[in-house]
Amino acid sequence: MINVWIDEFTPCLKNTNTGELVQTEVIRIRRKSFLRKYNKKNGWYTNWENLAVENEIYALVVEGSVDIQGLVAVTRNEDMQALYVSWMCASPENNKQLTDSVKYSGVGGHLFAIAVQKSIDFGYDGYLYGFAANQDLLEHYVKAFHGEVIAILHPYQFAIGEEAAKEILEVYDYEWTDEEI
């Protein structure tokens, strides 16, 4: 389920209190024990520890830290020649659905950019698909990223194609690290 809002197109995260731009990095998380603290009970919508069994998990962090601003779980789908985004969500402090004053804007777009990059890495040219959490978010992704409603497996199923993926990568900036947790 994809449950992020695309609030601002900004190459870096933007501190909503100060306006300061903050550089980001992407870290792969392999340890299920680390993911245990990211769960339904504390605003992460699902138990991320369970997602690590069948997905690759990536965290968007503030550069030089493990201060996680959002998580994305992805898996290859060779049959569809696309990346499947199993889950994507911003941290509770960056989730406008959970708080009126988010810490950083730009998290949702960065998470999509991470998924697009993994799609390219896997040889899918940026193609990805997933399920929006609700109708409003589905319409939002169609508008913000030129997503296409495909609604084959779920009424909120959508895809992002190669051209839209390129546009996403042109906006968002972050560093991939070799660091893994």
Side-chain angles (χ1 to χ4, degrees):
M1 205 56 54
I2 301 174
N3 197 2
V4 296
W5 193 259
I6 312 308
D7 52 10
E8 190 169 348
F9 294 100
T10 177
C12 302
L13 294 185
K14 183 176 177 183
N15 183 311
T16 58
N17 291 325
T18 66
E20 174 190 11
L21 294 179
V22 178
Q23 298 297 319
T24 56
E25 296 176 326
V26 178
I27 297 174
R28 181 163 181 194
I29 302 178
R30 292 182 182 265
R31 287 195 341 241
K32 289 194 294 184
S33 61
F34 180 84
L35 290 167
R36 192 169 293 138
K37 60 187 167 186
Y38 302 93
N39 56 56
K40 285 182 187 181
K41 292 178 184 173
N42 59 18
W44 287 89
Y45 291 107
T46 189
N47 297 326
W48 284 81
E49 174 184 20
N50 299 337
L51 293 173
V53 174
E54 295 182 0
N55 296 276
E56 292 183 12
I57 311 286
Y58 294 92
L60 177 68
V61 300
V62 171
E63 188 176 55
S65 75
V66 289
D67 186 13
I68 295 178
Q69 304 306 313
L71 292 169
V72 59
V74 300
T75 190
R76 301 174 190 215
N77 186 326
E78 290 294 326
D79 292 336
M80 295 205 35
Q81 287 293 292
L83 183 81
Y84 172 53
V85 180
S86 304
W87 272 91
M88 180 186 292
C89 71
S91 69
E93 66 188 0
N94 293 318
N95 186 335
K96 77 177 250 171
Q97 298 168 67
L98 299 177
T99 181
D100 291 330
S101 57
V102 298
K103 182 175 181 180
Y104 294 112
S105 63
V107 174
H110 275 77
L111 294 173
F112 268 97
I114 292 166
V116 166
Q117 185 60 56
K118 290 312 299 178
S119 172
I120 291 168
D121 292 349
F122 293 150
Y124 303 142
D125 299 324
Y127 287 97
L128 60 87
Y129 72 99
F131 309 111
N134 57 47
Q135 183 70 34
D136 289 340
L137 283 171
L138 175 68
E139 292 170 7
H140 179 62
Y141 302 146
V142 168
K143 184 178 178 184
F145 289 141
H146 311 292
E148 298 176 38
V149 177
I150 53 178
I152 296 170
L153 300 174
H154 188 278
Y156 307 140
Q157 184 179 10
F158 71 99
I160 292 179
E162 183 178 1
E163 290 305 312
K166 285 179 187 175
E167 290 176 17
I168 292 169
L169 288 183
E170 288 174 3
V171 173
Y172 297 97
D173 187 34
Y174 48 83
E175 294 294 323
W176 283 92
T177 66
D178 293 330
E179 185 177 343
E180 293 184 359
I181 297 175

